[in-house]
Amino acid sequence: MPRLNEDAEVEVKLDSAGAMLQQAIPAILRRGLFEAPGSRIVAVVEFASTTYTGHAADEDKDPQVKLRVKLAEVATEGDTIRLLREVQRAMYRQRKMNGTLDEIGPGSQDVEATVAALLAEQPTEVEFEVHEERKRAQRGGNRAEQF
């Protein structure tokens, strides 16, 4: 893969394989997005680069990279939406303070504290595993009763 100059502008495009995004958005929200153009949802998304396109040095085109959605979770409750927006704002402020943006927004500048506040109200991995184990046990018990 060719190396780019530090000042090279790389154009980012989304890969057309959007199945992960489709699965992450509940049907009621997909309908809402369709019925109300311009409406918004808030999500945590993980991307992976899938392909890149370079151009000859004398071409007046930016290099391109395509990203594919690998994981996505959409906020569906008011408190989670509010906290994710605060995380976005905190990350924005951090980028601004690092010199990549022009304006600093209002509010806290502590990204870690904001993320910790968000996670404090969410199930832990252990709680999730206990929940899944209970579901498996219930399904197993129901099957035994059917026979």
Side-chain angles (χ1 to χ4, degrees), residues 97-111:
M97 292 173 72
N98 290 337
T100 59
L101 293 174
D102 295 334
E103 299 176 11
I104 296 180
S108 165
Q109 297 182 9
D110 187 353
V111 175

Side-chain angles (χ1 to χ4, degrees), residues 124-144:
T124 65
E125 279 296 320
V126 171
E127 291 169 332
F128 178 72
E129 288 300 322
V130 167
H131 169 77
E132 290 296 301
E133 185 58 38
R134 284 185 189 142
K135 282 177 43 179
R136 282 190 291 273
Q138 286 176 341
R139 284 194 301 263
N142 292 342
R143 286 187 191 133

Side-chain angles (χ1 to χ4, degrees), residues 64-143:
Q64 297 175 349
V65 63
K66 281 192 180 180
L67 302 180
R68 180 173 294 158
V69 174
K70 297 305 280 183
L71 295 172
E73 289 298 330
V74 173
T76 58
E77 298 173 358
D79 286 343
T80 305
I81 293 168
R82 181 184 54 75
L83 287 167
L84 282 180
R85 288 197 185 277
E86 181 57 32
V87 169
Q88 283 180 315
R89 287 190 294 273
M91 292 170 72
Y92 168 88
R93 290 187 297 270
Q94 184 176 52
R95 287 194 303 135
K96 172 59 182 161
M97 292 173 72
N98 290 337
T100 59
L101 293 174
D102 295 334
E103 299 176 11
I104 296 180
S108 165
Q109 297 182 9
D110 187 353
V111 175
E112 289 182 20
T114 304
V115 171
L118 171 66
L119 295 177
E121 299 297 321
Q122 303 302 317
T124 65
E125 279 296 320
V126 171
E127 291 169 332
F128 178 72
E129 288 300 322
V130 167
H131 169 77
E132 290 296 301
E133 185 58 38
R134 284 185 189 142
K135 282 177 43 179
R136 282 190 291 273
Q138 286 176 341
R139 284 194 301 263
N142 292 342
R143 286 187 191 133

Side-chain angles (χ1 to χ4, degrees), residues 19-50:
M20 285 300 299
L21 197 52
Q22 167 99 8
Q23 294 170 1
I25 304 172
I28 191 164
L29 290 181
R30 290 194 307 266
R31 272 194 310 279
L33 291 167
F34 178 83
E35 293 170 353
S39 58
R40 298 176 183 200
I41 56 176
V42 180
V44 175
V45 181
E46 179 181 320
F47 296 105
S49 60
T50 58

Side-chain angles (χ1 to χ4, degrees), residues 1-2 4 10-11 49-55 63-67:
M1 176 180 314
L4 296 174
V10 177
E11 183 180 352
S49 60
T50 58
T51 57
Y52 71 94
T53 304
H55 301 286
Q64 297 175 349
V65 63
K66 281 192 180 180
L67 302 180

